[in-house]
Amino acid sequence: MTPSPHRMPGALFDAVAAGGGGAGSLRLLARAEHSRRLACAYAVTAAARETGGSVAEEAGHAWELFTAATRAAPGATAAVLTHPAAGPALFGLLAHLTRREDPERSPVRWYTALAAAAAVRAGLPGRVEWPVDGPWVALPSLGRARFPGAGSGGRAEVRVDAAGRARITLHGQSPADAPVPVPASPYRSEGRWHGSHLLTTLDSGVPLLLDVLDQPGFPNAVRCPDDLGADEVRRWSAVARDACGLLRADHPELYAELAAGGRLLVPLTNPGHGTVSGSSAETFGCVAMSRPTSATGFAVTMTHEMQHNKFAAVLHLFDLLEPGSPERFYAPWRPDPRPLLGLFHGAYAHLGVARFWARRRETEPDPGLRAEAHVQFARWRLAAREATLVTLASGRLTPLGHRFADRMLHTLDALCRLPVPASARHRAESAARAHRAAWQERNGSADGRSADRKCERPPMNRGLSCVSEGGVGPGAHGLRR
């Protein structure tokens, strides 16, 4: 198993930077993420070998399983390594091993679970065993088995017979539960086996799935499959189908990006108002969100988080920022100061949001919702442009980073030239002023000025606002509405 080099044509790089890129960009980024996960798996194996002992033995066996599965069915290994759970598991384990923390507490079991899933997918006869805590035994990308009443100290065993049939047993528990068969059909739940929920199938045949994410997951995520009742899944399915229909009809490029690869939705606990969503640099293809109440809300949230997914994958391929100081900046969509990377991320996500509303105000049949779409368009084109100007003026962009941000600004300049009803523009500007005032009251005075209200392109040193604070926040990004 050898990772391949990946090259992005300049025209495609520019298309992605402009806010789009289409299906071709998503397929290229997905291939690159697969190679990155594969390289990380090898690095985990090498680091475990240096650690020695049982950690080295278990990691070596997992690597052998991945190698055998790849020879038997290359798609099996790819499906596991590209599953969103694989990223946090592999990179979290690698960080633990390279820090040379207590080997006895090494989460090498995550690696073994991934390898076991690949073996099951490939139909490799044999058995795999690893320690688990609690009643759930997960096979990432396939599902999980439940062993009611099980506590810590158990060991999961997966056996695959000569016909490729697999079953899971949990040892070390008393009384022992019967083994759980792993269904051959995907997205199927029966007995004590819980698979992902298929919300809808996109035109390309790619599934849009709903499931809890194998540990480690997102903060505030629904933790157990049992928490997703049949009625809740039906509500998710209904809004997902309507949102995909909206994207297919009115936003073909966005829909093509969505349909270019598998998408997993992780439900977040209901915040009580609005929609909360998030994504992570190591969970490509995954969006965490609370259940939206409308197709439009679902579609714009997916647009926002898919932009974060793309940008994170681009950052894995290219250095867009130079290392720099710990200063924080004003972001027109956040209550807290943001590091420059977070500001860049957010500007790119809200560029996508502005493009979404630019189209929505043309296609929304309801007059009241169409008027609101005008406001949202005016609000987020202004916010994304302001943050992009701050990023360009930071002095920390690499040549490629400057090219990327400049393409973003070119798109935003074009959006700013589009006419908006005066009432919508005034509401958007009032919301922007109120947000900045609230931010300054919460965080202190910011040294800088907003982008010009007419969206004229000011000198590059304008729009800079920051406060000096130490540290950098986590690599997860979210949107609250």
Side-chain angles (χ1 to χ4, degrees):
M1 297 189 293
T2 305
S4 302
H6 296 275
R7 295 177 176 85
M8 180 179 287
L12 187 58
F13 180 88
D14 290 341
V16 172
S25 69
L26 267 294
R27 285 192 287 266
L28 185 151
L29 293 173
R31 290 194 300 271
E33 287 294 299
H34 172 230
S35 291
R36 185 169 181 269
R37 304 271 181 86
L38 180 57
C40 186
Y42 180 81
V44 163
T45 307
R49 190 181 303 120
E50 293 183 5
T51 300
S54 60
V55 171
E57 183 179 353
E58 188 172 352
H61 183 51
W63 179 255
E64 290 172 359
L65 278 176
F66 270 122
T67 302
T70 300
R71 289 172 180 157
T77 302
V80 173
L81 287 177
T82 56
H83 188 265
L90 288 171
F91 287 96
L93 174 56
L94 182 61
H96 182 101
L97 293 171
T98 54
R99 287 195 299 262
R100 300 188 179 278
E101 297 177 0
D102 182 4
E104 296 299 322
R105 303 185 64 178
S106 171
V108 71
R109 64 186 182 277
W110 297 342
Y111 192 22
T112 304
L114 292 169
V120 171
R121 280 183 168 274
L124 288 178
R127 59 180 291 276
V128 190
E129 187 175 318
W130 69 98
V132 293
D133 291 318
W136 294 98
V137 177
L139 289 176
S141 81
L142 289 170
R144 56 196 56 75
R146 187 182 183 194
F147 294 86
S152 60
R155 291 190 68 84
E157 179 190 79
V158 172
R159 285 185 179 268
V160 183
D161 64 21
R165 295 184 296 263
R167 64 178 189 172
I168 304 174
T169 304
L170 187 63
H171 300 298
Q173 300 295 313
S174 181
D177 291 299
V180 177
V182 179
S185 301
Y187 327 129
R188 183 176 177 180
S189 298
E190 57 182 27
R192 290 184 286 120
W193 176 262
H194 295 257
S196 299
H197 300 283
L198 178 63
L199 297 181
T200 188
T201 301
L202 306 174
D203 290 350
S204 58
V206 167
L208 183 62
L209 304 173
L210 178 72
D211 200 3
V212 300
L213 190 64
D214 309 319
Q215 293 295 324
F218 290 91
N220 303 318
V222 172
R223 292 301 181 192
C224 298
D226 285 348
D227 294 335
L228 289 174
D231 289 343
E232 179 70 3
V233 173
R234 278 193 290 269
R235 286 190 284 267
W236 273 93
S237 296
V239 72
R241 287 193 298 269
D242 290 346
C244 289
L246 183 155
L247 290 172
R248 182 192 300 111
D250 299 334
H251 305 267
E253 185 181 47
L254 285 172
Y255 182 78
E257 292 181 0
L258 179 66
R263 292 283 165 181
L264 178 69
L265 301 181
V266 173
L268 301 179
T269 53
N270 196 324
H273 63 280
T275 298
V276 174
S277 68
S279 56
S280 166
E282 301 303 347
T283 57
F284 183 80
C286 178
V287 171
M289 69 168 77
S290 58
R291 177 170 52 85
T293 57
S294 70
T296 299
F298 190 107
V300 71
T301 300
M302 287 297 293
T303 298
H304 177 272
E305 298 301 343
M306 284 170 60
Q307 290 292 99
H308 277 310
N309 266 214
K310 282 194 296 183
F311 193 75
V314 168
L315 287 172
H316 289 159
L317 287 174
F318 307 107
D319 291 325
L320 303 185
L321 286 171
E322 299 284 1
S325 64
E327 60 187 3
R328 301 290 183 101
F329 299 84
Y330 169 72
W333 46 81
R334 293 278 300 217
D336 55 334
R338 301 295 289 155
L340 187 62
L341 176 58
L343 187 70
F344 204 173
H345 243 296
Y348 186 70
H350 283 85
L351 165 61
V353 170
R355 294 176 76 224
F356 175 90
W357 289 116
R359 177 63 177 156
R360 194 67 194 146
R361 68 201 187 113
E362 298 173 352
T363 59
E364 173 57 61
D366 182 271
L369 295 178
R370 189 165 60 249
E372 183 61 27
H374 280 296
V375 176
Q376 295 295 324
F377 169 60
R379 172 78 173 94
W380 299 120
R381 70 176 181 179
L382 180 68
R385 186 175 184 278
E386 178 180 348
T388 301
L389 288 169
V390 172
T391 303
L392 281 164
S394 68
R396 286 182 48 201
L397 297 182
T398 65
L400 271 180
H402 196 280
R403 174 173 170 171
F404 195 97
D406 201 55
R407 296 304 189 280
M408 289 172 57
L409 187 60
H410 180 78
T411 300
L412 289 162
D413 283 343
L415 293 176
C416 282
R417 288 192 289 269
L418 298 178
V420 174
S423 59
R425 188 176 66 253
H426 293 155
R427 284 180 58 193
E429 292 173 354
S430 295
R433 286 193 296 270
H435 183 278
R436 179 177 283 272
W439 188 95
Q440 290 176 331
E441 182 177 354
R442 182 182 299 108
N443 301 292
S445 177
D447 181 18
R449 293 170 286 179
S450 300
D452 187 272
R453 297 300 180 193
K454 295 181 180 179
C455 285
E456 295 174 357
R457 188 165 183 168
M460 294 306 298
N461 63 344
R462 292 184 61 187
L464 184 64
S465 55
C466 69
V467 295
S468 294
E469 290 190 358
V472 176
H477 312 278
L479 173 67
R480 180 185 291 272
R481 274 182 290 277

